[in-house]
């Protein structure tokens, strides 16, 4: 099996996590360091083992990009717009409250994704009713009311 | 013996309470809908519905989750048969023969076979649940601190090994989960660890938020990156959703063999329904008198696959409930549900909480009947739902993830945690890391840590305590077996069905 260049990112990420937790672990009391140290060493060791395996694969079978497999059919605009919408939705919830933010988010997302208007309306009404009856009525959850209302 | 029978009877009496029956029907229906939607998985459905069960009685909550689990595994067959797209990986083998039957105008028969076989597979798997679970729980009584440490490591090695394409990547995922599980107050000294001034992290990362993020929110991102395509129209069928007496007789031996296969696969930690369905299918083909029918719409092929994948459900609950080792991602989520209710897997479930456990078992039996009835009656309606576009699913699932994580503590921080785990889960899935191993590590990490530190404290730091008992040695051996379990599973698959999963999948693709 060829070494995938994309796996370099995985290794870097894992080493970064180890380094981040290690630095913060040093600030702990000595007797609280034992178990976190064990998990950091474990992750560091396994990542190094994977790095060695990658290097062996590169030597034996060569190197391939791997990007084409990881991002096969990736819709870049659609993905990032959806991601941005989710972030804005979470921010809006604090100001507009759960139900208003949900209606705005769902209308925007469904319209952006090309869902016909009738289906959009049905989905918005159905989800809001479901949340209201299941969470507010049944579970008694007080959902965020928002700063503006 | 008499006491057990009494508990079983009381369990059925409790499970038959109107509230439990109602929740059973709700769970099965929801599970089938989730299962028949190709964008959603059983684990995701169970994770998404976890917060709804918080205020329920523990047994009712578990019955709902069990019903969603069983319903989703069966539901996958509906889209597999009618639109040649398995709703869940567990129905991949069903699509081979099921869709051929649909093309021949026998969709009703294929659906009836799937329903009937799923029912028997699930029902028979309850036998092993009733018999083996209490026995295995007895074994857990012998466990002390050191044993719990090794047990948690065993659970991780197995799930990391089997459920990942790369063994080391699977183990890395588990180690990452263990590291994340150290966030929060030190369980022994009470010192703040990696909390960065956030008081809400005192109890550690909320497992339910992590579950929803890793399984459900990450799926939203997976759906969002793909081109939205209109799903194939579900084939219209006019034949009755029923089987003749002869057909039922014909598939009977296949169902029994697939039940055994599915049950063993389910009990083995790390192996799941997606493996069992191919093994059941291949076994049905090997023993069939009509081998030439396979690939052209063999009824036994559908029965073999569906009985096996549903037989996994009961089997996989055994290691989950008794040892706290979930075999796959769905049972890891179910175990999360159990822990959230304040219950720990192990012998206490069969002593202190025996009433609750046997009610759940009885509920699990009744869920199979509900699945048969709802499946047979509602197939045509579910077939229409299976066409629901990913464009609708993306915002709907997002809203449910947000409200579900918020409902846990009525705290917006949990939503943020869920979102971060959603991004982490997405990245992990893209780079072939194992999200189930992270979840399991979050659940098992604190148990393992407590075990390790208590053992070392009791022995005043003497490490030999970790290898001091025969049970420890057995568990260490099992950890080693767990690491090599992918190789062992391949050998097991080959022995049982004459081919490996990879071969069968390649054959199915061809």
């Amino acid at each position: 099996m060829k070494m995938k260049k994309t796996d370099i990112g995985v290794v870097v990420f894992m080493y970064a996590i180890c380094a981040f937790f290690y630095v913060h672990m040093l600030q702990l009391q000595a007797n609280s360091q034992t178990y976190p140290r064990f998990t950091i060493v474990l992750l560091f060791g396994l990542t190094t083992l994977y790095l060695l395996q990658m290097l062996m694969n590169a030597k034996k079978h060569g190197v391939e990009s791997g990007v084409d497999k990881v991002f096969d059919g990736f819709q870049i605009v659609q993905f990032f717009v959806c991601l941005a919408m989710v972030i804005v939705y979470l921010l809006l919830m604090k100001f507009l409250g759960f139900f208003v933010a949900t209606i705005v988010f769902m209308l925007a997302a469904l319209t952006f994704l090309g869902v016909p208007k009738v289906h959009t309306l049905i989905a918005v009404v159905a989800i809001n009713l479901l949340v209201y009856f299941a969470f507010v009525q049944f579970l008694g959850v007080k959902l965020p009311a928002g700063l503006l209302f | 013996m008499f006491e057990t029978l009494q508990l079983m009877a009381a369990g059925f009496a409790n499970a038959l309470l109107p509230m439990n029956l109602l929740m059973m029907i709700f769970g099965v229906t929801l599970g089938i809908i989730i299962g028949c939607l190709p964008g959603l998985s059983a684990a995701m459905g169970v994770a998404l519905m976890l917060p709804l069960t918080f205020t329920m009685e523990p047994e009712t909550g578990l019955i709902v989750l069990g019903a969603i689990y069983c319903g989703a595994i069966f539901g996958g067959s509906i889209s597999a048969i009618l639109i040649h797209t398995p709703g869940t990986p567990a129905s991949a083998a069903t699509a081979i023969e099921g869709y051929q039957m649909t093309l021949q105008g026998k969709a009703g028969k294929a659906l009836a076979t799937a329903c009937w076989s799923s029912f028997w597979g699930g029902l028979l798997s309850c036998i092993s649940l009733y018999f083996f679970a209490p026995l295995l729980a007895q074994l857990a009584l012998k466990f002390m601190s050191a044993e719990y440490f090794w047990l948690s490591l065993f659970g991780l090695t197995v799930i990391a090994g089997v459920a990942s394409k790369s063994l080391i990547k699977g183990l890395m995922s588990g180690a990452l989960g263990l590291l994340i599980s150290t966030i929060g107050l030190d369980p022994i000294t009470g010192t703040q660890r990696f909390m960065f001034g956030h008081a809400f992290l005192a109890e550690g990362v909320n497992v339910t938020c992590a579950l929803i993020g890793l399984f459900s929110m990450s799926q939203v991102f997976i759906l969002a990156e793909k081109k939205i395509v209109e799903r194939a129209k579900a084939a219209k069928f006019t034949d009755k959703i029923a089987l003749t007496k002869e057909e039922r007789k014909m598939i009977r031996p296949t169902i029994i063999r697939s039940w055994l296969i599915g049950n063993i696969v389910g009990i083995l930690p790390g192996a799941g329904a997606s493996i069992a369905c191919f093994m059941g299918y291949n076994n049905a083909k090997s023993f069939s008198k009509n081998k030439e029918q396979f690939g052209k719409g063999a009824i036994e092929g559908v029965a073999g696959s569906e009985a096996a994948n549903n037989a996994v459900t009961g089997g996989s609950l055994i290691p989950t409930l008794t040892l706290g080792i979930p075999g796959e991602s769905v049972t890891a989520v179910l175990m999360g549900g159990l822990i959230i209710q304040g219950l720990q897997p192990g012998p206490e479930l069969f002593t202190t909480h025996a009433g609750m456990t046997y009610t759940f078992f009885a509920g699990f039996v009744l869920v199979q009947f509900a699945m048969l009835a709802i499946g047979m009656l509602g197939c045509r309606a579910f077939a229409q739902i299976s066409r629901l576009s990913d464009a609708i699913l993306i915002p709907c699932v997002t809203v449910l993830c947000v409200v579900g994580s918020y409902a846990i503590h009525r705290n917006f921080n949990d939503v943020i945690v869920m979102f971060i785990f959603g991004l982490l889960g997405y990245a992990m899935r893209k780079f072939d890391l194992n999200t189930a191993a992270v979840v399991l590590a979050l659940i098992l990490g604190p148990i393992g840590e407590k075990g390790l530190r208590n053992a070392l404290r009791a022995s005043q730091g003497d490490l030999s305590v970790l290898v001091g008992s025969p049970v420890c040695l057995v568990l260490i051996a099992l950890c080693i077996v767990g690491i090599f379990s992918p190789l062992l599973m391949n050998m097991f698959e080959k022995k049982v069905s004459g081919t490996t999963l990879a071969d069968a999948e390649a054959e199915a693709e061809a």
Side-chain angles (χ1 to χ4, degrees):
Chain A
M1 202 172 73
K2 285 182 178 175
M3 180 196 125
K4 286 181 194 162
K5 279 185 185 171
T6 47
D7 279 345
I8 297 171
V10 175
V11 170
V12 170
F13 174 75
M14 292 297 182
Y15 278 141
I17 291 277
C18 287
F20 177 79
F21 275 88
Y22 185 77
V23 168
H24 284 91
M25 183 207 74
L26 293 175
Q27 295 162 12
L28 301 175
Q29 292 171 5
N31 57 352
S32 290
Q33 285 187 12
T34 319
Y35 188 72
R37 191 187 292 271
F38 163 73
T39 57
I40 292 168
V41 168
L42 190 66
L43 182 59
F44 184 86
L46 287 166
T47 308
T48 307
L49 201 63
Y50 190 65
L51 180 65
L52 290 174
Q53 193 189 50
M54 278 167 61
L55 293 174
M56 275 163 63
N57 282 341
K59 202 174 174 187
K60 265 189 192 170
H61 309 289
V63 181
E64 63 178 351
S65 156
V67 175
D68 48 342
K69 278 182 190 165
V70 174
F71 295 105
D72 181 32
F74 189 83
Q75 301 292 308
I76 190 160
V77 176
Q78 182 180 296
F79 177 80
F80 282 105
V81 170
C82 284
L83 182 63
M85 279 185 186
V86 176
I87 294 169
V88 172
Y89 170 47
L90 298 181
L91 293 172
L92 273 182
M93 205 183 297
K94 285 225 160 193
F95 299 100
L96 301 179
F98 177 81
F99 285 106
V100 178
T102 300
I103 292 168
V104 172
F105 164 70
M106 285 194 73
L107 285 174
L110 290 164
T111 308
F112 169 71
L113 293 166
V115 177
K117 276 180 187 165
V118 180
H119 292 182
T120 300
L121 280 175
I122 295 171
V124 172
V125 172
I127 284 292
N128 279 284
L129 284 177
L130 175 78
V131 170
Y132 179 74
F133 284 109
F135 287 90
V136 180
Q137 292 293 318
F138 180 65
L139 290 182
V141 177
K142 201 169 175 284
L143 292 168
L147 299 173
L148 299 179
F149 297 96
Chain B
M1 180 69 185
F2 181 68
E3 198 187 340
T4 309
L5 286 174
Q6 264 185 331
L7 282 166
M8 284 167 73
F12 274 98
N14 283 335
L16 282 165
L17 289 173
M19 184 61 176
N20 288 336
L21 288 176
L22 200 70
M23 286 297 139
M24 230 174 263
I25 293 166
F26 164 75
V28 169
T29 311
L30 193 71
I32 297 177
I33 292 172
I34 289 166
C36 75
L37 285 166
L40 310 182
S41 68
M44 181 195 154
V46 178
L48 213 52
M49 288 302 127
L50 259 186
L52 270 182
T53 63
F54 287 172
T55 52
M56 295 177 189
E57 291 294 320
E59 52 269 40
T60 311
L62 284 173
I63 287 171
V64 175
L65 298 178
I68 297 172
Y69 178 22
C70 293
I73 298 290
F74 159 67
S77 68
I78 297 175
S79 48
I81 289 167
L82 295 177
I83 58 173
H84 203 211
T85 309
T88 58
S91 295
T94 310
I96 305 170
E97 302 302 328
Y99 189 63
Q100 288 300 322
M101 289 177 75
T102 298
L103 293 178
Q104 293 162 20
K106 295 181 197 164
K109 206 159 278 305
L111 288 168
T113 308
C115 212
W116 186 249
S117 313
S118 297
F119 164 70
W120 278 109
L123 191 67
L124 292 171
S125 78
C126 295
I127 298 174
S128 56
L129 185 62
Y130 270 109
F131 280 94
F132 293 121
L135 290 178
L136 210 58
Q138 289 288 320
L139 181 75
L141 277 173
K142 295 194 168 84
F143 289 8
M144 305 294 282
S145 299
E147 282 82 356
Y148 273 109
F149 167 68
W150 287 115
L151 188 66
S152 58
L153 275 191
F154 170 55
L156 274 176
T157 53
V158 167
I159 203 156
V162 178
S164 313
K165 281 184 187 168
S166 155
L167 173 67
I168 304 177
K169 271 189 174 177
L171 293 172
M172 276 160 68
S173 311
L176 177 67
L178 283 181
L179 189 51
I180 296 171
S181 77
T182 61
I183 294 173
L185 293 180
D186 184 312
I188 309 287
T189 63
T191 313
Q192 289 191 7
R193 290 191 313 204
F194 313 124
M195 284 169 55
F196 315 109
H198 297 292
F200 75 95
L201 287 173
E203 286 177 24
V205 170
N206 188 287
V207 177
T208 315
C209 292
L211 281 171
I212 297 173
L214 288 169
F215 289 118
S216 308
M217 197 65 212
S218 69
Q219 186 63 23
V220 168
F221 296 133
I222 295 278
L223 294 177
E225 69 160 40
K226 286 183 192 151
K227 194 173 181 189
I228 307 283
V229 283
E230 204 179 326
R231 219 156 258 149
K233 273 193 176 170
K236 281 191 178 163
F237 55 98
T238 48
D239 63 325
K240 273 176 77 178
I241 303 173
L243 290 174
T244 62
K245 205 174 171 186
E246 289 72 35
E247 285 162 340
R248 284 206 294 266
K249 198 175 165 190
M250 186 171 83
I251 60 173
R252 200 177 297 154
T254 306
I255 289 175
I256 292 172
R257 280 194 304 270
S258 286
W259 156 53
L260 290 170
I261 292 170
N263 229 232
I264 295 168
V265 169
I267 293 169
L268 290 175
S274 48
I275 293 175
C277 76
F278 276 104
M279 290 171 77
Y281 173 77
N282 285 321
N283 187 269
K285 194 176 174 181
S286 309
F287 281 87
S288 174
K289 287 174 189 161
N290 312 304
K291 283 193 181 70
E292 69 288 348
Q293 271 297 311
F294 275 76
K296 298 172 192 159
I299 191 170
E300 290 157 290
V302 176
S305 159
E306 283 303 305
N309 65 23
N310 272 76
V312 167
T313 56
S316 66
L317 286 173
I318 298 171
T320 309
L321 297 175
T322 55
L323 300 175
I325 305 173
E328 53 174 346
S329 43
V330 194
T331 37
V333 182
L334 263 170
M335 196 170 108
L338 195 74
I339 289 169
I340 288 158
Q341 294 279 6
L343 303 162
Q344 279 294 336
E348 275 196 4
L349 285 184
F350 297 86
T351 51
T352 320
H353 305 293
M356 190 272 319
T357 307
Y358 280 95
T359 303
F360 172 50
F361 284 5
F364 206 73
V365 171
L366 297 173
V367 157
Q368 313 303 327
F369 287 92
M371 188 175 75
L372 180 68
I374 295 168
M376 285 287 200
L377 296 171
C379 268
R380 284 174 210 273
F382 293 126
Q384 294 309 313
I385 294 171
S386 70
R387 289 195 61 229
L388 204 63
S389 162
D390 288 347
I392 296 178
L393 291 179
I394 291 167
C396 292
V397 175
T398 304
V399 172
L400 293 177
C401 288
V402 169
V403 74
S405 49
Y406 181 83
I408 301 166
H409 293 127
R410 280 85 163 144
N411 191 334
F412 199 75
N413 290 323
D414 286 339
V415 181
I416 306 293
V417 171
M418 179 280 297
F419 181 70
I420 291 168
F421 272 90
L423 289 174
L424 179 71
Y426 169 73
M428 288 184 75
R429 288 167 72 171
K430 294 299 287 179
F431 292 97
D432 291 332
L433 289 159
N434 187 340
T435 50
V438 175
V439 167
L440 200 58
L442 286 174
I443 296 170
L444 295 177
I447 300 170
E449 177 180 6
K450 234 182 207 170
L452 175 69
R453 293 179 65 177
N454 281 339
L456 289 176
R457 205 167 50 161
S459 69
Q460 290 172 331
D462 181 7
L463 286 170
S464 67
V465 72
L466 297 175
V467 289
S469 76
V471 180
C472 276
L473 295 175
V474 170
L475 287 168
I476 293 168
L478 284 174
C479 284
I480 296 165
V481 172
I483 290 172
F484 294 104
S485 51
L487 294 173
L488 297 171
M489 277 308 295
N490 263 354
M491 282 163 62
F492 175 69
E493 282 164 29
K494 216 162 192 169
K495 192 153 188 168
V496 172
S497 54
T499 181
T500 64
L501 177 65
D503 296 339
E505 278 174 341
E507 203 176 302
E509 272 175 29

